[in-house]
Amino acid sequence: MNKRWTISKIKEFVENNSESKLLSTEYHGFSQKLLFKCACGSNFEKTFTKFKNNNQRKCDVCQPPKVAR
């Protein structure tokens, strides 16, 4: 199922599935990095794909990147 994501659908997903807030106001595709505000107050950038599929829903301080194998 290929769902067409809009900025409003992404904002709703972020509000319902994380403690972060979406700060970006435009969405141009899956490779675009979006700006989020973490619950701790830090801003961070992630693509929506990583945010949604990889559970990377916090800043690098609250959720450090996984160490490469």
Side-chain angles (χ1 to χ4, degrees):
M1 179 173 115
N2 189 4
K3 192 174 195 179
R4 279 282 196 194
W5 289 96
T6 62
I7 195 69
S8 58
K9 286 181 184 175
I10 292 171
K11 186 172 185 168
E12 185 178 321
F13 180 89
V14 171
E15 288 172 358
N16 293 335
N17 296 286
S18 74
E19 297 174 16
S20 300
K21 288 186 177 169
L22 178 66
L23 299 179
S24 296
T25 56
E26 294 181 355
Y27 180 64
H28 300 288
F30 67 93
S31 62
Q32 174 196 353
K33 286 193 173 184
L34 298 171
L35 184 61
F36 299 93
K37 185 181 229 34
C38 185
C40 73
S42 299
N43 291 350
F44 66 99
E45 286 187 326
K46 291 262 191 290
T47 62
F48 182 59
T49 304
K50 283 185 177 179
F51 187 92
K52 180 171 65 80
N53 297 341
N54 297 349
N55 279 333
Q56 296 179 11
R57 299 183 181 169
K58 296 182 179 177
C59 69
D60 289 345
V61 175
C62 294
Q63 181 180 359
K66 290 192 170 86
V67 178
R69 296 183 196 189

